[in-house]
Amino acid sequence: MDLFDEIAAKVKGQDKTIVFPEGADKRILGAAVRLQNDGLVEPILLGTKDEIEATAKENNFDITGLKIIDPATYPEADKKAMFDALLERRKGKNTPEQVEKMLEDVSYFGTMLVYMGKADGMVSGAVHSTGSTVRPALQIIKTKPNAHRISGAFLMQKGDQRYIFADCAINIELDADTMAEVAVQSAETAKIFGIDPKVALLSFSTKGSAKGDMVTKVAEATEKVHEMEPDLPADGEMQFDAAVVPSVGELKAPGSKVAGHANVFIFPSLEAGNIGYKIAQRFGGFTAVGPILQGLNAPIADLSRGCSEDDAYKVAIITAAQAL
């Protein structure tokens, strides 16, 4: 079974509701129509009815039955409840006037629907920047109790091969604590895709073959992962070839449960992770799905502004799976 067929089978019939703040975008609208027709999620589109209907007409989309919410005409009682909830959430940080202005932003409005339990997750970013999607999520949804930061993972897929790369999207600099958190978060993400996680914390050194602060950081992060999740197969510091090639892994890290067989790769910096996944995508022929935001109290997904309809469709399925 194809990967997304597997995930779709998990979410089908679960009645998960996903809000799309960019409802008038043709890629988002097309994805929402497919998701509804396939019975995978219940989409909520934000935007004016006229704009969404115009997009549907231009692209021959049948939007019968799709739920559309125009924030400007949201029922007053519901708007008041949302205002009160956001004001309380931002107590001491934003004035009532600022909160009122925030709710005019579809990203904040959509995030509040998730926070208030009116949606199970949100998919945004086709039109808005990463900051516009992530900022409301951090301010309102916030991180899980055991998380101090969020991170961004990519599912890398080619044929039967499935890997998780992180952090490739959020944290510019990772200290040992953050790298360890990303490793644990990424192992949980791997399970969504049917991957039995074997985590490699990457470096330009394997088991002390080079020295330096960057190497020490990865070794310390590995120790912290073992403290946090003693049963999780994780190892580092490790070069990429030692992580994926059994003969090299045996040579450079003999006795390791991960070396040569890793399927979750934790990069020591954002630049390394971002460059790494793009090389795998462009030279290696892997499909990169993400970024998948990790560590939040509820699933929020950030699309690339260059995304396709199919990207939005797949990310929505993943977001629904995160909500299970």
Side-chain angles (χ1 to χ4, degrees):
M1 188 182 288
D2 176 78
L3 169 63
F4 282 96
D5 288 340
E6 290 177 22
I7 302 172
K10 290 181 183 178
V11 302
K12 192 163 189 174
Q14 299 297 320
D15 299 324
K16 293 301 177 184
T17 306
I18 303 296
V19 59
F20 297 87
E22 301 149 330
D25 183 274
K26 71 176 183 179
R27 297 163 295 174
I28 297 301
L29 188 54
V33 169
R34 286 174 61 190
L35 289 162
Q36 177 174 262
N37 290 345
D38 292 345
L40 297 177
V41 304
E42 298 177 11
I44 299 175
L45 300 169
L46 300 188
T48 69
K49 191 174 181 182
D50 287 346
E51 286 179 339
I52 292 172
E53 286 180 344
T55 301
K57 187 175 181 181
E58 288 171 13
N59 294 277
N60 296 314
F61 294 145
D62 180 1
I63 60 172
T64 304
L66 276 180
K67 185 172 183 178
I68 299 170
I69 294 178
D70 182 351
T73 60
Y74 200 50
E76 285 302 320
D78 293 334
K79 191 180 293 186
K80 177 66 165 57
M82 184 178 286
F83 172 84
D84 290 342
L86 181 54
L87 185 64
E88 177 62 28
R89 194 64 166 160
R90 300 297 296 161
K91 195 171 184 177
K93 295 179 180 177
N94 292 105
T95 65
E97 292 76 19
Q98 288 171 329
V99 167
E100 191 170 358
K101 189 72 176 175
M102 288 160 76
L103 288 176
E104 294 175 6
D105 183 325
V106 288
S107 296
Y108 276 95
F109 191 96
T111 304
M112 283 303 296
L113 289 178
V114 177
Y115 176 67
M116 298 179 73
K118 296 181 182 295
D120 295 299
M122 183 176 88
V123 174
S124 190
V127 177
H128 297 88
S129 68
T130 292
S132 296
T133 301
V134 173
R135 191 178 304 109
L138 286 174
Q139 291 177 345
I140 299 166
I141 302 298
K142 301 189 178 181
T143 57
K144 292 178 179 178
N146 61 345
H148 300 90
R149 290 193 183 186
I150 65 169
S151 59
F154 278 83
L155 167 68
M156 309 300 295
Q157 183 191 17
K158 183 169 72 171
D160 293 333
Q161 299 177 76
R162 304 175 189 178
Y163 304 107
I164 299 294
F165 283 18
D167 182 353
C168 304
I170 302 296
N171 298 290
I172 295 175
E173 295 291 340
L174 283 74
D175 58 17
D177 288 330
T178 304
M179 195 172 181
E181 273 195 17
V182 172
V184 172
Q185 291 170 358
S186 300
E188 289 302 311
T189 297
K191 293 174 185 175
I192 294 174
F193 302 109
I195 299 170
D196 183 18
K198 295 178 180 63
V199 183
L201 289 86
L202 299 175
S203 180
F204 59 87
S205 166
T206 301
K207 300 298 183 179
S209 63
K211 304 295 181 185
D213 291 343
M214 289 183 287
V215 174
T216 301
K217 175 187 76 173
V218 181
E220 289 177 353
T222 304
E223 291 177 7
K224 292 177 183 293
V225 172
H226 293 156
E227 292 169 5
M228 295 163 69
E229 295 288 340
D231 296 328
L232 175 65
D235 206 357
E237 87 281 9
M238 194 174 292
Q239 291 162 285
F240 192 81
D241 57 351
V244 299
V245 182
S247 60
V248 178
E250 181 60 32
L251 179 67
K252 293 187 174 183
S256 172
K257 295 179 180 179
V258 171
H261 306 284
N263 50 26
V264 177
F265 301 96
I266 310 303
F267 293 84
S269 67
L270 180 62
E271 62 182 347
N274 193 269
I275 292 168
Y277 100 79
K278 289 182 184 293
I279 289 173
Q281 181 184 33
R282 301 300 178 180
F283 279 3
F286 278 81
T287 298
V289 180
I292 301 156
L293 297 185
Q294 307 177 134
L296 288 167
N297 268 318
I300 304 291
D302 174 39
L303 295 165
S304 162
R305 276 174 282 183
C307 72
S308 65
E309 176 188 307
D310 198 52
D311 291 333
Y313 175 84
K314 289 177 177 177
V315 169
I317 294 171
I318 293 169
T319 305
Q322 286 181 293
L324 292 175

